[in-house]
Amino acid sequence: MPKSKVLLCEDEYIVALDLQLLIEEFGFEVIGPFASVSNAMREIGDTRPDMAVLDVSLKDGEVYPLADRLQEMGVGLVVHSGHVNDHEIKARYPQAECCLKPVHTSRLKAALQQAAPLADC
């Protein structure tokens, strides 16, 4: 059975690497990481992820245009940020999971499972 694909958007290199390793350890395939909205937008033109882990603030601005597009595509969203406001995120993306930095491993895994309940975790 193919692994579920997780788009990873994080502009802090060490955090991105740590998240990538964790997500792969959970049994998912990672697309990225991407430090900018523009690079991630280009990627989703070619590759459709099953889920996305998104930092709110990336190198070229806030992630919301990308999150809007991913939501339209039916991609499960996990917002992972030090700037996240659960109420604001839930108002804009009702199905999204929110994780504050620094996230605990078990919380990230649970958020990914909620974002894609049929994923092989």
Side-chain angles (χ1 to χ4, degrees):
M1 185 170 157
K3 294 180 179 181
S4 294
K5 296 176 185 172
V6 178
L7 178 76
L8 176 56
C9 295
E10 171 59 61
D11 62 343
E12 295 178 42
Y13 178 77
I14 299 298
V15 175
L17 182 58
D18 187 44
L19 287 171
Q20 179 178 356
L21 293 172
L22 281 174
I23 294 166
E24 289 172 345
E25 191 176 294
F26 298 153
F28 299 105
E29 177 184 338
V30 174
I31 304 167
F34 296 97
S36 70
V37 173
S38 57
N39 286 343
M41 285 287 237
R42 279 193 290 279
E43 182 65 26
I44 64 171
D46 297 330
T47 305
R48 185 196 182 283
D50 300 299
M51 294 165 281
V53 175
L54 309 173
D55 186 6
V56 171
S57 296
L58 297 177
K59 289 204 182 282
D60 58 351
E62 292 189 329
V63 77
Y64 299 121
L66 174 63
D68 291 343
R69 179 68 185 115
L70 291 167
Q71 183 174 253
E72 290 169 4
M73 295 169 64
V75 173
L77 302 177
V78 176
V79 178
H80 175 259
S81 179
H83 311 286
V84 78
N85 177 324
D86 285 3
H87 300 296
E88 180 182 330
I89 296 298
K90 287 293 190 179
R92 192 165 185 168
Y93 310 104
Q95 303 303 317
E97 294 295 316
C98 298
C99 295
L100 285 174
K101 288 181 181 178
V103 69
H104 293 283
T105 303
S106 59
R107 173 64 189 122
L108 179 61
K109 186 173 185 178
L112 286 166
Q113 290 170 331
Q114 288 294 327
L118 300 178
D120 183 16
C121 301

